[in-house]
Amino acid sequence: MSIIKVLVVGSGPAGYTAGIYAGRANLAPVIFEGNQPGGQLTQTTEIENFPGYPEGIGGMEMMDQLRSQAERFGAKVRSRNIESIDLSKRPFVAIDDHGDEVVAETVIISTGASAKYLGLADETKYQGMGVSACAVCDGFFYRKKDVAVVGGGDTACEEALYLSTLCNKVYLIVRKPFLRASDVMKKRVVNTPNIEILFECNVKGLFGDGVVEGAHVVRAAGTEEEDHFDIKIDGFFLGIGHNPNTEFLKGQLELLEGGYIKTDGASTRTSVEGVFAAGDVADPHYRQAIVAAGSGAKAALDAEHFLNEHSEL
């Protein structure tokens, strides 16, 4: 039975960068890309804030380049998903979606976090054409335009405040009659002139010819004051949080509030020796490609150091 030195579960900037660094260290990493090869960035039409691309680059193209770079240094990339993994003892044993067994000395988890959506068919229809779950990633494309953010917590308020510095107007659509955000965030939003809060409102759909041009909104649904109206917007941002993709771990690692994997200080070490976490799956704050790539490099270096200290296998 062959044992993989470094198993990378998940792709995207974190997984592929881990593969690049582990490959250059002659660790022959194996990357299981998961259900979304390349991660969430493959749904982004253009990336302008990743260093080295002064003219910008398409998300799919950048992920293809990262994957090719990892393969150049010896990483093996498998278009499969890890369904389960036993972290109770080393070597670790994982089962992929073909039922095959994968045995590894170390594991780097880079499965990312999935944005929460409202469940509207239009969110899929206009994905990348006006619908986004990351204001920092895509807000630049909506300079001097009108946009909407859905949500009433700190995440939504942060998105709205960021967009208010770029956009002409920001609608903050809140289903409750109040904001759930912290007092500081509430004050900032309320005191920002170009943010309009729509309380007790729900989005029923989006409309536009190929791109988002507006949203259908209902206020006080199910009451005598129910009111239907449309708002004209060019961008529709989800600010209702993310779900870290950790289901396959089945509670074997210590998690932070919100389900993100807890790492040890500035390292990528998790609560299980030999298991490391990189990218959005362990990052409740930044969720940026460049940060994920950096953590992927750290995870590979941490895995290499661990293997050097535990060479008994």
Side-chain angles (χ1 to χ4, degrees):
M1 176 182 63
S2 60
I3 300 178
I4 297 169
K5 287 185 178 295
V6 179
L7 168 63
V8 181
V9 184
S11 46
Y16 289 144
T17 303
I20 292 169
Y21 272 73
R24 292 184 77 249
N26 294 319
L27 297 178
V30 178
I31 303 171
F32 278 71
E33 291 184 301
N35 293 326
Q36 189 177 20
Q40 294 186 74
L41 280 187
T42 57
Q43 298 180 358
T44 301
T45 53
E46 188 172 6
I47 300 168
E48 294 188 324
N49 56 357
F50 198 97
Y53 298 98
E55 303 302 321
I57 186 173
M60 184 69 76
E61 183 182 0
M62 190 174 86
M63 290 304 98
D64 284 344
Q65 291 183 6
L66 286 178
R67 172 179 172 156
S68 296
Q69 191 172 357
E71 291 178 319
R72 174 191 169 198
F73 292 115
K76 293 181 180 179
V77 181
R78 297 180 182 174
S79 299
R80 295 189 180 188
N81 189 44
I82 294 296
E83 295 288 334
S84 64
I85 187 166
D86 182 1
L87 301 180
S88 63
K89 59 183 182 301
R90 294 180 57 236
F92 307 112
V93 179
I95 305 296
D96 69 17
D97 53 5
H98 287 219
D100 293 334
E101 191 173 86
V102 184
V103 184
E105 295 184 41
T106 63
V107 177
I108 295 174
I109 300 168
S110 56
T111 47
S114 300
K116 296 178 183 177
Y117 286 84
L118 299 175
L120 303 174
D122 290 334
E123 290 173 315
T124 301
K125 178 181 178 181
Y126 293 106
Q127 184 70 49
M129 303 302 291
V131 172
S132 172
C134 180
V136 176
C137 307
D138 300 326
F140 188 76
F141 301 111
Y142 299 93
R143 287 167 296 169
K144 298 182 180 180
K145 296 183 178 181
D146 294 348
V147 300
V149 177
V150 176
D154 281 336
T155 297
C157 288
E158 287 174 4
E159 301 271 280
L161 286 166
Y162 176 80
L163 290 167
S164 72
T165 65
L166 300 170
C167 302
N168 176 56
K169 182 169 186 175
V170 180
Y171 293 99
L172 181 57
I173 303 174
V174 186
R175 65 184 179 89
K176 294 183 180 292
F178 57 86
L179 291 172
R180 294 182 294 102
S182 62
D183 288 341
V184 172
M185 295 302 293
K186 289 178 187 176
K187 291 178 182 178
R188 289 176 181 171
V189 168
V190 170
N191 292 326
T192 302
N194 61 336
I195 296 179
E196 180 179 345
I197 307 175
L198 302 178
F199 287 114
E200 295 187 88
C201 287
N202 290 283
V203 176
K204 307 305 292 183
L206 304 172
F207 61 88
D209 185 11
V211 297
V212 170
E213 296 176 1
H216 302 300
V217 183
V218 58
R219 177 184 281 117
T223 71
E224 293 182 358
E225 290 77 31
E226 182 172 313
D227 179 33
H228 294 257
F229 60 96
D230 292 344
I231 55 174
K232 291 184 178 181
I233 55 173
D234 299 290
F236 183 74
F237 291 82
L238 283 304
I240 52 179
H242 289 70
N243 286 320
N245 300 317
T246 57
E247 298 85 355
F248 74 103
L249 297 172
K250 295 180 172 56
Q252 299 179 87
L253 291 180
E254 187 175 351
L255 305 178
L256 298 170
E257 183 179 355
Y260 294 87
I261 297 175
K262 181 179 180 180
T263 54
D264 182 14
S267 78
T268 64
R269 297 187 299 270
T270 70
S271 57
V272 174
E273 281 197 342
V275 179
F276 309 90
D280 288 7
V281 75
D283 178 11
H285 302 295
Y286 300 104
R287 294 192 295 272
Q288 296 297 301
I290 187 63
V291 178
S295 68
K298 288 169 59 176
L301 293 171
D302 286 342
E304 179 185 11
H305 181 72
F306 178 86
L307 289 168
N308 288 337
E309 289 190 337
H310 301 77
S311 58
E312 68 275 8
L313 285 177

